[in-house]
């Protein structure tokens, strides 16, 4: 079964500390993975997709097929990074996304 | 950000009432989706549509009805609202299936069923 697991509901760090938001997935084929971010009461926005291997707002994520993981990392957290982060898997032919339950990141001053 | 809009943004309704949530996109995207967002569950797919007049069930379709007579609109109807349908509803669209196409989300509709 296709599944996305985000083990942490809440992650709290201090400004300037490194951040790692964990994401593990279950999928039998070649997955397409995304990280979406939702700032307070706003719409979801795409942060990263694994195929583009880009860095957005200092965040990076590497697909590890052996560990079936797609962890999101940032070396130095900023207060404006506080938000809800969702890892998502697109594996169906219709392009629908399967979301994890989300991790709320809180960056303290 | 006017590409995909939802209305109303907030709605309070009573148990048993019918309510329709609207979604409109200006990009002519083929695919459209409805998700509900609940604490502890993340986002779950209700229904999706690959094109006008083509719809299919997602993970949690019970109690909902959709239609798509025009490419740009994808309304979601709660036929007889229940308290368990209190949620934030997000509509999304994407241009095509296949690798590399992201979904674009609307601003959401916060629905409260009393």
């Amino acid at each position: 079964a296709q599944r996305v697991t985000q083990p942490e509901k809440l992650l709290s760090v201090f400004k300037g500390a490194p951040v790692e938001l964990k994401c593990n997935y279950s999928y039998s084929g070649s997955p397409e993975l995304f990280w979406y971010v939702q700032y307070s009461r706003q719409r979801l926005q795409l942060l990263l997709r694994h195929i583009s291997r880009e860095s957005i707002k200092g965040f990076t994520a590497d697909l590890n097929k052996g560990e079936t993981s797609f962890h999101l990392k940032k070396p130095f957290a900023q207060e404006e990074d506080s938000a809800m982060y969702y890892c998502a898997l697109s594996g169906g032919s219709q392009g629908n996304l399967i979301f994890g339950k989300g991790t709320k990141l809180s960056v303290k001053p | 950000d006017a590409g995909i809009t939802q209305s109303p943004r907030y709605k309070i309704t009573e148990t048993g009432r019918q309510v329709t949530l609207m979604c409109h996109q200006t990009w002519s995207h083929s695919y459209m989706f409805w998700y509900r967002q609940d604490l502890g569950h993340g986002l779950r797919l209700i229904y999706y549509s690959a094109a006008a007049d083509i719809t299919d069930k997602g993970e949690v379709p019970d109690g909902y009805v959709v239609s798509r007579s025009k490419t740009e609109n994808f309304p979601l109807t709660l036929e007889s609202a229940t308290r368990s349908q209190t949620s934030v509803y997000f509509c999304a669209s994407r241009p095509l299936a296949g690798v590399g196409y992201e979904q674009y989300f609307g601003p959401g509709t916060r629905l409260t069923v009393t």
Side-chain angles (χ1 to χ4, degrees), chain B residues 33-48:
Chain B
F33 308 86
W34 274 107
Y35 296 90
R36 59 178 290 174
Q37 183 183 41
D38 303 289
L39 200 62
H41 290 280
L43 281 89
R44 292 178 290 176
L45 182 66
I46 305 170
Y47 269 95
Y48 62 96

Side-chain angles (χ1 to χ4, degrees), chain B residues 44-63:
Chain B
R44 292 178 290 176
L45 182 66
I46 305 170
Y47 269 95
Y48 62 96
S49 169
D53 297 322
I54 300 175
T55 62
D56 208 346
K57 296 178 180 179
E59 181 185 354
V60 288
D62 293 344

